[in-house]
Every structure is written in C-alpha cells, then in structure tokens.
C-alpha cells in the first residue's frame, strides 16, 4: 500500500472527526477487546461471542479500528493487535486501558460540548452541564468512581518509572501521597525504597479501594491509608508530600488552600513534590495543552507554566527549589519559604 500524506482539508477533517476514533477506542476498551486478543488473532464472531455483542455490528467497529491501525484485519474477518493497540491491554506495563475505558464515559463525554460555554464565560463545563462538580458527581456513583480511579492508576503506572529515575525518594523517612488515588505511585515509591514509610491520603471512598493493591505489592506493612479532605487537613509531620496530578484539578485559589494545608503539616526541612505536566513554550507541548482543556472541562483546573507554579507556591508560603524532568511530567520540588 502506498501511504501518501493527506491534503490539509482531509487532515483537518480527520481531526474534527477525532471524537469518532476516541469513542470507538473507548468502546473497544470497555469491551476488553485488546485483552481478548492478547494471545493472538480471533475472528469478529469469536470476539462478539466473548463480549456478548451484536456480531455484524462489532465487525463494523473492529474494521474501523483496523483502518486507523489500532487493530489489523486478516482474512475471514479475523483481527489481531497492532503495536499501537498493545497498550490497550490491561496487564502491560504501559497500559492505557483504564484511561480509554474512562474518557468516553457518557457523563464525562457530555461535559465536552460545554467547552464553548467555558470559552465564552471562563466557567467550568462539567458544572454547567451537570449542575455539580466532578468529585461530588463521582462520590455518589461508586461505579464511576471506580472507573476513574482505575484510569488514574493506569496513567500513574505509565509515568512511575521515569519519576523514580528522576527523583531520589530514598532520602525521606515518611512520604504522604496527597490525593494519591488507589496508591499506584506510592506503591512504586515504597517498593523501590525499602527504608521509606508511606501514607496514602485521599477521599474516604477512594482510599477504601486501595488496600488490595498495597497488599499485593507487599508494602502494606510500611503504608497506611487515611481518608479525608485536603482542604481541611492532611497527615502531619512527614518529610515529603507528593501531589501528583492533583494541583492541575483546581483553580489558583483552591490550589493555594491545598498547598497551605500541606505546608502547615510539613516537617521542618521537608519537601512538597508537585508532579504535573508543565506548559511548554508556544507551538509545543500538545499533551499538556490539551490536558489543560480537559481540566477546564472536567474538574475546573488548569495546567501551568513553571512561572505560574512558582507564584502558586509563593502564595502558599512555599518556595520553588527546583524543577526536574521526569518523562512527560515534571517534579516541582518546594520547601517552606
Ligand atoms: C486526578 S486524581 C490523581 C490521583 C493520583 N494522584 C494519580 O496521580 O493517579 C486527583 C485525586 O484527588 C482526590 N481528591 C479530590 N478532592 C479531594 C479532597 N477534597 N480531599 C482529598 N482528595 C481529593 C481524588 O479522589 C483523586 O484521587
């Protein structure tokens, strides 16, 4: 087959229609198609039987995914995973399966048409569409909360290795993971640093789902969980507080309130470690700039430049010590001012 770069009009039309690809991948992830193909190719009918779906219609989904190289179609309506499709498996180290299963959920998807409202008013789309914020919405819907926590675990696992390579957590006595979700990052930190104790802090309904991960990772004897509200308090007197993908969920006022609570709890000479994407210069950094729109639509937060982080820290009684690259994320290290 001869591959030719499409003309600009075709390229932009495909970008405009990108929501179709996103939803098609989401449906395949929800059905667990990639896991069903982990051991080799299967026919569309076999996959329909395994997923309880409508055979002829599942075939239409699969052939569309093969047209964008997520799958590869063989003779006889048989499909196999491509290298691009491999990360949709749930048990590979760089799995994106949890994220793909979350991002197209109807309630979250429904917030995105509110982007125009956000751009016109500066207001949060999710609140505009649903009349509540993402955290309240999910706290009363355990199934959605579990899907979201799995998405966070899936993203966290992908970035852990780079984070551990970039930052020496072994120098700390106790690390608190603030808004640590199901504990994927803290587990990795503790597993790599046998002398460190951990505290996983998140909303009560979130940390209640973490025990099995801590047990399975063999770190439960060095880690306990605390449920609470980081606008009120966080566990006291640790020498490191990690906030990974937490500050980007919040506007500046809310972020300063969280960071002030953390600063007050921080042991003398301790460190606050904000792990986030940092907004790149003009025309670069697609992931952070689209994540920024996702924050605008979903949780009402934003991605920030290095200078904006420095200002947030200063307003919270902290000072920026250094910024380290850790793959697609940065570690923004701060200490008491
Ligand atoms: C985007 S997730 C990031 C999770 C985890 N740090 C990670 O990187 O995978 C933000 C986390 O903040 C938690 N969170 C939101 N509001 C909170 C609050 N008021 N108090 C404590 N945790 C909260 C959520 O439950 C969620 O686990």
């Amino acid at each position: 087959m001869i591959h030719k770069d499409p003309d600009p009009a075709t390229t932009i039309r495909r970008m405009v229609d990108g929501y179709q690809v996103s939803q098609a991948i989401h449906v395949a992830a929800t059905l667990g198609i990639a896991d069903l193909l982990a051991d080799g190719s299967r026919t569309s009918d076999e996959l329909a039987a395994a997923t309880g779906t409508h055979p002829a219609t599942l075939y239409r989904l699969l052939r569309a995914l093969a047209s964008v190289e997520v799958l590869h179609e063989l003779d006889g309506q048989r499909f196999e995973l491509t290298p691009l499709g491999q990360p949709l498996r749930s048990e590979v180290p760089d799995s994106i399966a949890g994220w793909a299963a979350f991002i197209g959920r109807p309630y979250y998807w429904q917030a995105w048409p509110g982007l125009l409202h956000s751009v016109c008013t500066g207001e949060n789309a999710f609140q505009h569409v649903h009349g509540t914020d993402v955290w309240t919405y999910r706290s009363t819907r355990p199934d959605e909360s579990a899907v979201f926590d799995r998405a966070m675990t899936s993203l966290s696992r992908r970035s852990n290795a780079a984070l551990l390579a970039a930052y020496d957590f072994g120098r700390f006595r106790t690390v608190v993971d603030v808004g640590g979700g199901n504990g994927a990052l803290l587990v990795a930190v503790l597993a790599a640093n046998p002398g460190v104790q951990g505290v996983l802090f998140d909303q009560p309904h979130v940390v209640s789902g973490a025990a099995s991960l801590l047990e399975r990772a063999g770190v439960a004897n060095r880690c306990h969980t605390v449920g609470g509200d980081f606008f009120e308090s966080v566990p006291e007197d640790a020498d490191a507080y990690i906030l990974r993908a937490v500050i980007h969920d919040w506007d500046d006022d809310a972020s300063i309130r969280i960071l002030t609570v953390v600063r007050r709890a921080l042991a003398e000479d301790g460190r606050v470690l904000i792990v986030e994407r940092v907004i790149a210069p003009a025309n670069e950094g697609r992931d952070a700039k689209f994540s920024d729109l996702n924050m605008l639509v979903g949780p009402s937060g934003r991605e920030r430049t290095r200078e904006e982080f420095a200002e947030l820290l200063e307003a919270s009684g902290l000072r920026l010590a250094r910024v380290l690259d850790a793959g697609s994320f940065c570690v923004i290290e701060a200490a008491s001012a």
Side-chain angles (χ1 to χ4, degrees):
M1 198 194 330
I2 299 168
H3 283 282
K4 219 171 83 171
D5 281 344
D7 58 278
T10 301
T11 301
I12 194 75
R13 184 186 57 72
R14 288 178 180 171
M15 288 168 82
V16 168
D17 292 347
Y19 73 96
Q20 298 169 357
V21 180
S22 175
Q23 192 62 226
I25 294 173
H26 165 71
V27 170
T30 301
L31 296 173
I33 296 291
D35 286 335
L36 290 167
L37 294 174
D39 294 330
S41 68
R42 297 174 81 167
T43 66
S44 176
D45 281 355
E46 288 167 351
L47 291 166
T51 54
T53 50
H54 186 257
T57 311
L58 182 68
Y59 173 66
R60 293 167 66 183
L61 177 81
L62 300 178
R63 74 179 175 187
L65 289 172
S67 77
V68 291
E69 298 178 21
V70 172
L71 301 176
H72 181 68
E73 184 172 357
L74 304 159
D75 289 345
Q77 300 192 344
R78 177 172 284 278
F79 291 87
E80 64 185 5
L81 277 178
T82 61
L84 191 60
Q86 288 289 344
L88 292 172
R89 291 170 57 192
S90 44
E91 295 306 329
V92 291
D94 61 347
S95 174
I96 199 79
W99 180 255
F102 156 67
I103 202 66
R105 295 291 302 155
Y107 80 97
Y108 200 73
W109 193 255
Q110 282 156 14
W112 270 89
L115 179 61
L116 179 60
H117 174 81
S118 288
V119 170
C120 291
T121 63
E123 293 171 5
N124 171 235
F126 193 95
Q127 181 80 39
H128 175 66
V129 170
H130 289 292
T132 188
D133 65 87
V134 284
W135 310 111
T136 308
Y137 186 97
R138 286 195 281 262
S139 70
T140 54
R141 291 167 179 83
D143 290 355
E144 297 297 356
S145 187
V147 169
F148 177 76
D149 293 340
R150 184 175 162 236
M152 291 303 102
T153 299
S154 135
L155 290 193
S156 179
R157 283 207 178 117
R158 299 186 78 238
S159 62
N160 284 346
L163 195 53
L164 291 175
Y167 196 86
D168 172 22
F169 293 92
R171 65 195 174 109
F172 296 120
R173 194 172 26 87
T174 306
V175 173
V176 181
D177 194 353
V178 178
N182 278 171
L185 171 56
L186 190 57
V187 158
V189 168
L190 297 180
N193 297 284
V196 177
Q197 303 282 323
V199 183
L200 179 65
F201 179 81
D202 206 296
Q203 302 181 91
H205 69 275
V206 176
V207 287
S208 65
S212 63
L213 182 63
L214 300 178
E215 285 290 345
R216 265 185 284 129
V219 298
N221 59 337
R222 283 189 287 128
C223 185
H224 66 279
T225 61
V226 178
D229 177 358
F230 51 42
F231 290 105
E232 301 290 331
S233 64
V234 295
E236 298 267 327
D237 214 28
D239 49 356
Y241 289 81
I242 305 177
L243 298 102
R244 182 194 174 280
V246 168
I247 294 302
H248 78 162
D249 288 336
W250 303 94
D251 66 19
D252 287 357
D253 286 348
S255 298
I256 291 166
R257 281 164 56 210
I258 297 166
L259 289 169
T260 302
V261 167
V262 171
R263 193 249 306 151
R264 289 193 182 125
L266 187 65
E268 208 185 328
D269 206 28
R271 292 288 182 269
V272 178
L273 306 169
I274 298 175
V275 182
E276 294 285 6
R277 296 187 176 97
V278 172
I279 290 280
N283 308 311
E284 294 172 24
R286 166 189 175 144
D287 288 350
K289 288 174 184 170
F290 274 89
S291 177
D292 180 55
L293 292 186
N294 192 33
M295 295 304 110
L296 172 66
V297 166
S300 196
R302 60 185 309 130
E303 304 293 352
R304 294 177 171 88
T305 62
R306 182 190 164 118
E307 292 71 30
E308 287 167 340
F309 277 115
E311 285 166 18
L312 265 193
L313 291 166
E314 192 184 336
S316 313
L318 292 159
R319 77 179 154 78
L320 179 64
R322 55 187 176 145
V323 179
L324 301 170
D325 280 331
S328 53
F329 283 77
C330 288
V331 183
I332 298 143
E333 185 189 60
S336 274

